């Protein structure tokens, strides 16, 4: 497949800048893979498509406040620092992106906070915008993290053209998020309210959790037309024995296994054994999925509507079928569905 095959015209006004008022009341398009039928529903209607013994797999990663602003020593220039991941707890080393990068060199110090009490030193260049920072902070690691995160903002995607607000700290996060490490929220999971999860539980739909710490690689522009030449950034993930047992039992009993989000779909595909079952996995994955691809575990998928050229769109097309999904996106635009992390949802079922 070629990159240009994932181009479509998306009106700017359809990119959601705010979430729906209630988590489970976004619109939901239901796409039936076998017949091509399209239904227009509300998200909480998802309950009708699953039965006792079916399994929904969620990503329990937790987004941290990764974007902060500091001042460069001497010049006082304002610098945006985007925290990617902690490299070393003891030495308080972080892998970050800086903007404008041309101003930031090894040895520079950056000051954060109104009182400039948080100080970091640049100790390495990793990529054109990437740097390694060592934070100079006296205190325990827990105190340091608390102070650092207090300075940070919710890392909304760049296509959300506004400053983060107080509400974003809660809404750009799944209610079941518990394992910190992501800078991109598993958006499909944000549609689930506590009430909806409880109703699914009462109906007998099992809930399993995989951890995939989604990174900025999800939004990195693909700069090659031939998709086989694109390399995804690696993301840390874990598929636990409990999840593997739950999923494999459902597979053996021919129950539905629903991946809630492309991060879950990718994580499950990265933990597949030779026989098409899941296996436990803890480590890093840089799996890049685009059509055609044979998914052996997931039988249904919940996903948001993604932007043109995105790796997430490619994964949805791999799962639902390229022609079917691209047609569904045309319908979504005509019907005024909202796109992006704060947008509406699509459920793909057989």
């Amino acid at each position: 497949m070629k990159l240009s095959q994932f181009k479509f015209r998306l009106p700017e006004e359809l990119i959601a800048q705010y979430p729906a008022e209630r988590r489970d009341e976004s619109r939901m398009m239901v796409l039936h893979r076998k017949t091509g039928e399209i239904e227009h529903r509300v998200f909480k209607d998802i309950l009708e498509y699953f039965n006792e013994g079916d399994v929904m797999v969620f990503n329990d990663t937790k987004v941290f406040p990764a974007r902060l602003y500091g001042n460069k020593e001497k010049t006082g220039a304002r610098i945006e620092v985007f925290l990617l991941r902690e490299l070393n707890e003891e030495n308080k080393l972080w892998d970050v992106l800086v903007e404008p990068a041309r101003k930031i060199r090894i040895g520079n110090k950056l000051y954060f906070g109104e009182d400039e009490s948080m100080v970091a030193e640049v100790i390495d260049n990793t990529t054109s915008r990437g740097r390694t920072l060592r934070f100079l902070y006296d205190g325990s690691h827990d105190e340091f993290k608390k102070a650092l995160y207090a300075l940070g903002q919710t890392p909304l995607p760049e296509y959300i053209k506004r400053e983060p607000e107080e509400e974003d700290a809660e809404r750009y996060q799944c209610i079941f998020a518990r394992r910190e490490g992501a800078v991109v929220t598993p958006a499909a999971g944000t549609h689930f309210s506590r009430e909806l999860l409880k109703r699914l539980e009462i109906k007998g739909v099992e809930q399993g959790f995989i951890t995939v710490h989604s990174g900025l690689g999800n939004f990195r522009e693909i700069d090659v037309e031939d998709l086989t030449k694109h390399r995804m950034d690696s993301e840390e993930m874990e598929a636990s024995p409990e999840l593997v047992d739950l999923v494999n039992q459902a597979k053996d009993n021919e129950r539905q296994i629903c991946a809630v989000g492309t991060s879950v779909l990718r994580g499950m595909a990265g933990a597949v054994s030779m026989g098409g079952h899941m296996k436990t996995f803890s480590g890093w994955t840089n799996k890049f999925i685009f059509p055609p691809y044979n998914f052996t575990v997931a039988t249904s998928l919940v996903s948001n509507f993604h932007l043109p050229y995105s790796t997430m769109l490619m994964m949805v097309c791999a799962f639902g079928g390229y022609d079917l999904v691209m047609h569904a996106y045309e319908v979504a635009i005509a019907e005024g569905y909202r796109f992006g992390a704060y947008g509406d949802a699509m459920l793909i079922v057989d």
Side-chain angles (χ1 to χ4, degrees):
M1 304 261 345
K2 305 294 183 191
L3 176 65
S4 53
Q5 290 175 266
F6 295 92
K7 175 184 179 182
F8 62 92
R9 190 187 158 276
L10 177 61
E12 193 78 19
E13 64 270 17
L14 292 186
I15 300 175
Q17 300 297 302
Y18 287 91
E21 196 172 327
R22 293 175 63 85
R23 285 183 184 270
D24 57 14
E25 290 184 357
S26 296
R27 294 171 72 191
M28 178 177 69
M29 177 187 284
V30 182
L31 179 60
H32 295 263
R33 279 196 297 194
K34 285 181 177 165
T35 63
E37 181 196 353
I38 289 174
E39 297 179 81
H40 303 288
R41 306 293 296 265
V42 176
F43 191 78
K44 57 188 176 186
D45 295 341
I46 197 169
L47 196 68
E48 297 174 24
Y49 295 88
F50 294 90
N51 297 302
E52 186 176 350
D54 291 341
V55 172
M56 281 190 166
V57 183
F58 302 94
N59 185 359
D60 64 1
T61 188
K62 189 173 185 179
V63 177
F64 61 91
R67 184 176 279 117
L68 50 154
Y69 295 91
N71 298 313
K72 187 181 171 187
E73 63 177 337
K74 296 177 184 165
T75 66
R78 189 176 194 241
I79 306 295
E80 179 186 313
V81 173
F82 196 100
L83 303 171
L84 294 176
R85 64 174 176 267
E86 190 170 34
L87 299 172
N88 183 291
E89 278 191 19
E90 190 180 347
N91 296 313
K92 303 180 179 71
L93 300 182
W94 277 79
D95 183 17
V96 307
L97 297 176
V98 294
E99 193 70 46
R102 66 184 184 283
K103 294 186 176 180
I104 303 300
R105 299 188 173 93
I106 293 173
N108 288 159
K109 283 196 172 73
L110 301 173
Y111 295 85
F112 302 93
E114 286 182 17
D115 58 357
E116 299 193 332
S117 58
M118 181 72 76
V119 186
E121 182 181 8
V122 182
I123 63 169
D124 196 12
N125 294 340
T126 52
T127 62
S128 59
R129 289 177 58 210
R131 302 289 185 271
T132 302
L133 296 187
R134 177 170 59 222
F135 284 91
L136 312 173
Y137 184 89
D138 290 329
S140 69
H141 183 258
D142 286 347
E143 289 169 340
F144 161 66
K145 287 283 280 287
K146 190 174 179 183
L148 180 65
Y149 287 178
L151 296 168
Q153 295 181 350
T154 303
L156 297 179
E158 289 181 0
Y159 57 72
I160 293 180
K161 309 288 188 190
R162 61 175 177 82
E163 288 295 305
E165 299 172 13
E166 206 174 308
E167 181 195 35
D168 292 309
E170 180 199 348
R171 289 304 303 270
Y172 193 69
Q173 191 88 271
C174 300
I175 59 171
F176 43 76
R178 64 184 183 92
R179 302 188 68 184
E180 182 188 283
V183 296
V184 177
T185 193
T190 63
H191 296 289
F192 288 84
S193 63
R194 284 186 171 79
E195 294 80 10
L196 181 54
L197 287 174
K198 191 67 186 172
R199 289 168 70 198
L200 284 162
E201 184 187 324
I202 290 167
K203 195 171 182 180
V205 179
E206 304 272 7
Q207 297 169 19
F209 297 91
I210 193 169
T211 304
V212 183
H213 292 315
S214 306
L216 283 185
N218 289 280
F219 297 129
R220 191 154 59 85
E221 285 188 13
I222 298 176
D223 51 12
V224 289
E225 175 68 0
D226 180 355
L227 295 182
T228 61
K229 292 183 166 57
H230 177 65
R231 293 287 169 267
M232 282 287 283
D233 293 355
S234 291
E235 293 176 341
E236 195 172 5
M237 64 162 283
E238 182 178 350
S240 68
E242 294 79 17
L243 172 70
V244 168
D245 288 346
L246 181 68
V247 167
N248 287 342
Q249 191 173 347
K251 182 177 169 68
D252 290 340
N253 291 331
E254 298 184 348
R255 307 303 311 179
Q256 266 202 92
I257 300 165
C258 180
V260 178
T262 53
S263 63
V264 172
L265 193 63
R266 185 162 166 248
M268 289 169 74
V272 169
S273 64
M274 292 293 286
H277 282 67
M278 273 190 80
K279 61 181 179 182
T280 55
F281 182 89
S282 182
W284 296 79
T285 179
N286 64 349
K287 201 170 192 65
F288 176 36
I289 296 173
F290 56 92
Y293 189 89
N294 181 32
F295 294 93
T296 59
V297 180
T299 62
S300 53
L301 171 69
V302 181
S303 188
N304 277 32
F305 288 95
H306 302 291
L307 275 58
Y309 300 125
S310 65
T311 59
M312 289 90 83
L313 169 61
M314 293 167 189
M315 218 182 309
V316 175
C317 284
F319 187 83
Y322 173 81
D323 291 335
L324 203 54
V325 169
M326 294 305 280
H327 168 65
Y329 269 52
E330 285 176 18
V331 173
I333 291 168
E335 293 285 338
Y337 277 79
R338 293 161 14 109
F339 281 65
Y342 275 159
D344 296 316
M346 173 189 271
L347 170 64
I348 302 177
V349 291
D350 283 340

